[in-house]
Amino acid sequence: GWLQRGVGRGAGGGEAGACRPPVRQDPDSGPDYEALPAGATVTTHMVAGAVAGILEHCVMYPIDCVKTRMQSLQPDPAARYRNVLEALWRIIRTEGLWRPMRGLNVTATGAGPAHALYFACYEKLKKTLSDVIHPGGNSHIANGAAGCVATLLHDAAMNPAEVVKQRMQMYNSPYHRVTDCVRAVWQNEGAGAFYRSYTTQLTMNVPFQAIHFMTYEFLQEHFNPQRRYNPSSHVLSGACAGAVAAAATTPLDVCKTLLNTQESLALNSHITGHITGMASAFRTVYQVGGVTAYFRGVQARVIYQIPSTAIAWSVYEFFKYLITKRQEEWRAGK
């Protein structure tokens, strides 16, 4: 997701807004909405991030299910889809109305704590490092370092949920309940199976973060040069930035899906044992499907990311603005 990649995953997903420095406005132009007030508590950061992350993942979950299936290297003939809408319609018609939602509970359960942890870590580290590197001001180095560390923690919390979710999303998945999937993976493959894709996830989030950040800032310069609270500009810029970053990092997402699902047909056809590590995943994808296999599910990934990013930006920026506005009113009323 977008919040996985920083505060912009993101996102995270992840996620770009996280690396974005606070924008200071003229005193007469309204509240400084880009940064939460100095007195904001850790709980505030965690609640705002958790709500944004949960909504982002849950609202677009059916499309995420389609993406996972379309990234399959050797899909069953009954699970070969021409496009996202056809895939969604066939899944509902042949497997039931609620089939695209299977695994949603584990995703929501993981997204809340993961995004809350991300925001709390990011905001704390950003302030601490900025005070050391650039006392009294904003430091790009501090923002970047804080975002990287926060992403490490976020993905560590979210990765097991991703593994379970994607196994439950696959066609003919034997798992109907989260507990069944967790138990089977633990007994058959060991605890390490929940983190096989961790390094790939991190490798994907670094370029995602960079592309998302640069695209978002470029669009904001055109749509919102004054950097005021402008929901429409945040939605449009964030959605476009998320789409560009999602398309560019699809090959890494395909490898992550393979590491998470350990797709049996691919394993049986080309290697023995389990696929471990990004290099092994890259080789397997190429052996099974060639260069084009790296872009399986790109349409679904982009379609997922556009509204997903828009939701995440809207929710998080709204929380920041609302908290800042109430703090300003409280100070004025003292």
Side-chain angles (χ1 to χ4, degrees):
W2 173 78
L3 281 175
Q4 289 176 318
R5 280 81 68 182
V7 184
R9 189 99 107 1
E15 302 181 185
C19 298
R20 182 158 47 100
V23 177
R24 303 295 172 187
Q25 295 183 340
D26 182 271
D28 298 325
S29 66
D32 174 16
Y33 78 91
E34 291 289 355
L36 286 165
T41 64
V42 172
T43 302
T44 297
H45 301 305
M46 296 180 76
V47 170
V51 173
I54 291 173
L55 285 177
E56 170 204 359
H57 284 285
C58 291
V59 172
M60 296 304 298
Y61 191 81
I63 306 301
D64 185 60
C65 175
V66 170
K67 175 188 74 71
T68 296
R69 291 199 180 190
M70 294 183 78
Q71 288 178 336
S72 175
L73 296 180
Q74 292 184 343
D76 185 281
R80 292 175 181 168
Y81 313 112
R82 290 191 296 269
N83 54 59
V84 175
L85 288 179
E86 187 224 10
L88 195 57
W89 166 246
R90 283 177 55 188
I91 291 172
I92 292 174
R93 182 168 55 86
T94 61
E95 301 174 52
L97 178 63
W98 297 106
R99 182 61 181 90
M101 306 302 289
R102 187 183 295 178
L104 175 63
N105 53 344
V106 72
T107 298
T109 301
H115 287 81
L117 181 63
Y118 177 90
F119 276 86
C121 175
Y122 173 75
E123 296 289 354
K124 176 63 176 178
L125 281 179
K126 180 179 70 172
K127 183 180 185 305
T128 302
L129 294 176
S130 290
D131 288 344
V132 173
I133 299 172
H134 190 186
N138 177 65
S139 168
H140 294 284
I141 296 176
N143 293 338
C148 288
V149 175
T151 300
L152 288 173
L153 295 177
H154 170 278
D155 288 357
M158 192 67 186
N159 214 86
E162 281 284 312
V163 173
V164 175
K165 175 200 75 173
Q166 292 197 305
R167 293 199 180 206
M168 296 184 73
Q169 288 174 331
M170 293 295 284
Y171 178 74
N172 269 346
S173 170
Y175 311 114
H176 293 275
R177 294 185 299 179
V178 170
T179 52
D180 295 336
C181 184
V182 172
R183 187 182 304 110
V185 173
W186 184 281
Q187 292 177 348
N188 299 330
E189 302 174 45
F194 293 105
Y195 284 94
R196 280 201 193 99
S197 64
Y198 183 52
T199 54
T200 302
Q201 179 83 359
L202 293 176
T203 304
M204 178 175 67
N205 284 343
V206 171
F208 189 105
Q209 183 91 325
I211 296 169
H212 191 175
F213 173 78
M214 291 186 291
T215 306
Y216 181 84
E217 290 296 337
F218 174 78
L219 294 174
Q220 279 289 283
E221 288 176 1
H222 289 77
F223 298 140
N224 188 21
Q226 300 302 317
R227 300 303 177 96
R228 294 188 172 92
Y229 177 64
N230 187 332
S232 60
S233 78
H234 297 312
V235 169
L236 182 59
S237 299
C240 291
V244 172
T249 55
T250 294
L252 289 166
D253 196 44
V254 171
C255 292
K256 183 200 77 171
T257 297
L258 177 59
L259 287 168
N260 280 345
T261 61
Q262 296 290 308
E263 194 178 344
S264 59
L265 286 174
L267 290 171
N268 294 337
S269 299
H270 295 277
I271 65 173
T272 58
H274 297 295
I275 299 175
T276 57
M278 186 170 63
S280 177
F282 260 96
R283 286 195 301 271
T284 303
V285 171
Y286 183 77
Q287 290 169 354
V288 174
V291 174
T292 57
Y294 290 113
F295 290 91
R296 287 180 182 271
V298 63
Q299 180 194 48
R301 182 165 159 78
V302 171
I303 290 175
Y304 168 86
Q305 200 63 52
I306 291 174
S308 174
T309 307
I311 291 168
W313 272 108
S314 300
V315 173
Y316 189 69
E317 292 286 5
F318 173 73
F319 267 81
K320 289 202 295 183
Y321 173 73
L322 185 64
I323 293 170
T324 305
K325 183 178 179 181
R326 290 189 175 180
Q327 183 114 358
E328 292 290 330
E329 291 174 349
W330 179 77
R331 287 172 180 169
K334 281 189 70 174

